[in-house]
Amino acid sequence: MNSGPHPPNSATNDVQTSTTRPLNFIRTIITKDIKSHKNDGQVVTRFPPEPNGYLHIGHAKSICLNFGIALEFDGVCYMRFDDTNPLKESMEYVESIKADVRWLGFDWGDRLRHSSDYFDQLYDYAVQLIKMGKAYVDSLSADDIRSHRGTLTEPGKNSPYRNRSVEENLDLFERMRTGEFEDGAHVLRAKIDMASPNLNMRDPIIYRIRHMAHQMTGDQWCIYPMYDFTQCLSDSIEGVTHSLCTLEFEDHRPLYDWYLDELEVDCHPQQIEFSRLSLNYTVMSKRILNELVEQGHVNGWDDPRMPTLVGMRRRGYTPAAIRDFCGRAGITKKDNVIEMSLLENCVREDLEEKTPRRMCVLRPLRVVIDNYPENQVEEFDAPNHPNDPTMGTRKVPFSRVLYIERDDFLEDPPKKFFRLAPGREVRLRYAYFVKCTSVVRDPQTGEVTELRCMYDPDTRGGSAPDGRKVKGTLHWVSAEHALEVETRLCDRLFRNANPASDGADFKASLNPDSIETLTASRVEPSLAGAMPETRYQFERQGYFCVDSADSSEEKLVFNRIVTLRDSWAKIEKEQHRS
Ligand code: ATP
Ligand code: MG
């Protein structure tokens, strides 16, 4: 933990030294503010999640922005739980959010805060507004408040309670606090302007009664402050200089400023809005994510297909890739939808350099090499990375009976098929050339169950002394030595680019092939004991990660993080053409 009044935020090294910082309008504003010595040249930001759900990739954009700005400008960033609605909040969410922010690589030091830390102070501010004649207790029902509010084209109507005296308001508000009234009996409202063209300024509610225990303050309060009131004052209390939020709060900014101006606080943060991150082929709405979980379309918030950070982590996405993606998605004022393939490419790029290679046969087909000695085992040294010798090598055993990938063999291959077929010769990676001599079938189904091959002992290491070439190189494992594992081929959760478009039933867009579970895959023995969350490239198959929930010593479980190439690009091209 840091100490002192303004210790810098710390972060993992690669976060701090990240050099990909595209210019954006927020950084331009802050740079100017520092130059003009506004806020004494200080930069203070905050990330203010409501603990009512798990964080998703959209939140990651806000985290990277707020913590990133603090790191870049030697400022600080607060981690603040905006916990004013105990009905929807829980400690489970609080803990998961903290873990996610840390996992992304950011550290709030000693700046963990909760809006609920300020409940006393917020109450005092409300009393102050009442005393100034700027707030009143309204006793209209929720329905009447709504109907008095007017519409975009019609002004609202004043509440009959609007002109209560300061004394009466103070008395009622105090009694709201002590629990004398039931939920909904009264609310405290700001007295602004029921005819304002901005609906947020039509006497917004400041406090409401809610007899409900709070995860932080217990039974201490039965009135809770509303979002707009809480947000600006919490920002002010923390000395936030730049309050960064998403575009839908643009219309709330006049209210944000009104509270701070009326209360004449020392610190008046500047609210700056930016566009939300949207990604195609997935959804970012907490409501829909919740339904996906509740209705069993996925296996929990951390299902590897979910756009949540816990899901992406379990899937095997790296924090570095997500940060890189957020940087590339950019900060703008325009709503736009980012391609899922951009995120997947960031993941591929990050994994390519640092992920060790292994061989895994997803759908095994047995191969017997008839001319290989029965009990012989050879070990080949296989490099862990083709371009990085510092990553070392591992031993891969080779024997008479192997497995290859079922779809690396075709009995009746088309011209451009360069893999195995009767009479064809291929290279087994790191080992020998083999030629298929015959096939064995299931007598009932006729399905090919085994290939018989001959190997050429002179091709050890993968090249022929006579210079003859083969076009295909296959991955394989030794049947006797391989480990049986489960592989889960994760794909996009939705098959429509915009599953949550207006009026669309997102359930109809679910991709029925978003996960395929293969229970009899085989991996080379060097993977024994692979730890949860470790990542590998399975040659020719993609990047995989050991599942953190279901993998065990008895049976390893791997999630496919991403394929080696963007297979969706091809599908989309075809869809466009047809
Ligand atoms: P709610 O409707 O519950 O408020 P929310 O998605 O806004 O949902 P918060 O917990 O309030 O969730 O969000 C915390 C912070 O993350 C906010 O500052 C919000 O602006 C930001 N945020 C949320 N979703 C996105 C997104 N898709 N892109 C960028 N920032 C986001
Ligand atoms: Mg919100």
Side-chain angles (χ1 to χ4, degrees):
M1 270 233 186
N2 290 305
S3 58
H6 266 191
N9 282 74
S10 60
T12 49
N13 279 340
D14 50 338
V15 178
Q16 237 150 3
T17 56
S18 141
T19 49
T20 47
R21 287 199 182 117
L23 206 66
N24 66 56
F25 77 99
I26 293 181
R27 292 177 52 232
T28 309
I29 293 174
I30 293 179
T31 307
K32 227 169 87 195
D33 288 349
I34 292 175
K35 264 211 190 114
S36 67
H37 222 67
K38 191 175 166 185
N39 310 307
D40 298 325
Q42 299 284 319
V43 175
V44 182
T45 56
R46 85 288 175 268
F47 172 63
E50 194 183 336
N52 64 356
Y54 285 80
L55 298 184
H56 51 59
I57 182 83
H59 293 112
K61 173 170 166 174
S62 177
I63 296 168
C64 290
L65 176 65
N66 280 295
F67 282 92
I69 291 267
L71 284 169
E72 181 181 355
F73 294 99
D74 280 330
V76 296
C77 179
Y78 283 86
M79 171 78 208
R80 183 206 312 147
F81 286 99
D82 179 30
D83 54 351
T84 56
N85 185 2
L87 187 66
K88 292 186 169 172
E89 296 163 6
S90 77
M91 263 343 243
E92 178 195 349
Y93 296 134
V94 170
E95 291 309 323
S96 79
I97 290 170
K98 286 201 268 189
D100 283 349
V101 174
R102 283 204 200 95
W103 176 75
L104 257 191
F106 299 103
D107 177 3
W108 50 84
D110 57 1
R111 283 170 299 276
L112 178 65
R113 300 288 187 279
H114 307 79
S115 296
S116 58
D117 298 341
Y118 312 133
F119 278 173
D120 282 315
Q121 214 167 336
L122 292 170
Y123 182 82
D124 290 345
Y125 277 130
V127 168
Q128 206 177 315
L129 284 176
I130 295 174
K131 287 182 177 162
M132 292 159 61
K134 298 283 182 181
Y136 62 98
V137 173
D138 195 353
S139 310
L140 286 179
S141 68
D143 281 344
D144 285 340
I145 289 179
R146 211 170 299 123
S147 65
H148 276 63
R149 202 168 178 229
T151 63
L152 281 173
T153 50
E154 276 172 48
K157 275 195 310 221
N158 283 351
S159 162
Y161 302 100
R162 198 171 196 261
N163 290 320
R164 277 177 164 152
S165 68
V166 169
E167 290 67 37
E168 190 182 358
N169 282 322
L170 285 173
D171 174 60
L172 282 170
F173 188 47
E174 169 65 22
R175 286 159 62 196
M176 279 168 67
R177 168 193 169 121
T178 52
E180 195 174 307
F181 308 116
E182 54 194 61
D183 290 8
H186 308 281
V187 291
L188 184 73
R189 298 179 74 175
K191 197 174 192 173
I192 307 180
D193 178 8
M194 287 307 289
S196 170
N198 183 340
L199 268 66
N200 295 306
M201 301 299 275
R202 294 185 187 172
D203 291 10
I205 296 175
I206 303 178
Y207 266 92
R208 62 184 162 189
I209 302 171
R210 188 154 272 176
H211 288 273
M212 179 167 239
H214 183 283
Q215 68 271 16
M216 296 298 290
T217 56
D219 290 323
Q220 215 183 321
W221 294 89
C222 64
I223 55 172
Y224 291 97
M226 300 297 287
Y227 175 86
D228 287 301
F229 183 73
T230 309
Q231 191 72 9
C232 60
L233 289 164
S234 302
D235 284 349
S236 171
I237 292 166
E238 287 164 8
V240 167
T241 55
H242 301 83
S243 175
L244 313 177
C245 64
T246 39
L247 226 44
E248 71 273 21
F249 292 104
E250 201 163 21
D251 289 345
H252 296 239
R253 189 175 354 116
L255 180 56
Y256 185 103
D257 290 331
W258 187 89
Y259 285 128
L260 298 176
D261 288 338
E262 293 297 330
L263 289 164
E264 293 180 27
V265 292
D266 291 336
C267 167
H268 188 140
Q270 179 184 3
Q271 176 178 306
I272 306 172
E273 308 86 17
F274 62 94
S275 65
R276 264 178 188 267
L277 175 79
S278 312
L279 254 188
N280 65 8
Y281 293 100
T282 190
V283 291
M284 226 70 93
S285 139
K286 275 183 195 166
R287 179 186 60 80
I288 298 182
L289 292 176
N290 215 340
E291 274 184 53
L292 287 171
V293 174
E294 295 287 308
Q295 298 174 5
H297 300 295
V298 295
N299 301 312
W301 288 96
D302 67 346
D303 186 296
R305 295 164 293 175
M306 288 282 271
T308 52
L309 295 181
V310 278
M312 290 186 172
R313 175 176 181 170
R314 185 166 166 199
R315 169 99 169 238
Y317 284 19
T318 59
I322 294 175
R323 292 194 305 264
D324 179 31
F325 167 74
C326 290
R328 293 202 213 181
I331 304 293
T332 65
K333 279 263 187 200
K334 258 213 255 45
D335 275 321
N336 63 343
V337 181
I338 309 284
E339 302 278 323
M340 178 67 95
S341 52
L342 177 65
L343 174 58
E344 290 166 346
N345 269 329
C346 291
V347 173
R348 277 188 200 101
E349 242 176 64
D350 185 45
L351 293 176
E352 153 57 30
E353 268 176 43
K354 49 189 184 205
T355 312
R357 273 48 171 173
R358 292 290 183 269
M359 292 197 284
C360 166
V361 174
L362 297 175
R363 301 172 185 84
L365 175 61
R366 205 174 129 92
V367 172
V368 179
I369 302 175
D370 285 314
N371 62 336
Y372 196 83
E374 194 91 39
N375 291 315
Q376 184 170 311
V377 178
E378 280 177 271
E379 284 194 319
F380 292 99
D381 285 310
N384 288 331
H385 195 288
N387 310 319
D388 185 359
T390 65
M391 285 176 71
T393 62
R394 84 275 179 191
K395 301 265 184 221
V396 184
F398 183 91
S399 65
R400 188 168 188 265
V401 183
L402 311 170
Y403 290 114
I404 64 163
E405 206 67 62
R406 188 160 274 282
D407 55 11
D408 277 339
F409 173 81
L410 275 184
E411 239 187 322
D412 194 9
K415 240 195 173 146
K416 288 249 165 102
F417 186 82
F418 299 123
R419 296 172 259 168
L420 209 51
R424 294 239 185 128
E425 189 173 46
V426 295
R427 176 188 296 108
L428 293 180
R429 187 104 162 114
Y430 312 119
Y432 293 104
F433 286 10
V434 295
K435 185 185 244 175
C436 177
T437 49
S438 64
V439 302
V440 179
R441 287 171 205 288
D442 181 312
Q444 243 99 67
T445 63
E447 187 195 16
V448 174
T449 54
E450 185 179 293
L451 307 181
R452 310 299 293 210
C453 291
M454 301 288 273
Y455 87 117
D456 177 351
D458 290 337
T459 57
R460 193 174 200 278
S463 61
D466 64 5
R468 83 180 183 279
K469 300 275 183 240
V470 289
K471 281 224 166 116
T473 300
L474 309 187
H475 61 277
W476 52 273
V477 294
S478 164
E480 180 195 337
H481 303 92
L483 313 172
E484 189 177 85
V485 301
E486 179 170 319
T487 50
R488 298 175 181 171
L489 308 185
C490 308
D491 204 340
R492 295 180 183 177
L493 190 50
F494 293 95
R495 52 183 169 183
N496 291 1
N498 186 3
S501 61
D502 286 341
D505 175 14
F506 70 89
K507 276 168 242 142
S509 310
L510 282 166
N511 174 7
D513 304 319
S514 61
I515 195 159
E516 184 182 0
T517 301
L518 304 170
T519 54
S521 300
R522 300 287 200 292
V523 293
E524 55 175 275
S526 66
L527 281 162
M531 297 300 285
E533 296 200 7
T534 37
R535 304 176 183 88
Y536 299 93
Q537 185 197 95
F538 290 159
E539 293 196 40
R540 302 175 64 225
Q541 297 294 6
Y543 294 96
F544 285 74
C545 180
V546 181
D547 190 82
S548 50
D550 298 335
S551 201
S552 68
E553 265 176 49
E554 289 77 59
K555 190 151 187 174
L556 289 169
V557 176
F558 292 90
N559 295 314
R560 184 169 69 197
I561 307 168
V562 68
T563 52
L564 291 180
R565 271 174 293 276
D566 183 1
S567 48
W568 280 77
K570 209 173 119 203
I571 294 170
E572 276 174 15
K573 235 187 231 160
E574 279 162 11
Q575 278 172 355
H576 280 302
R577 239 182 272 137
S578 61

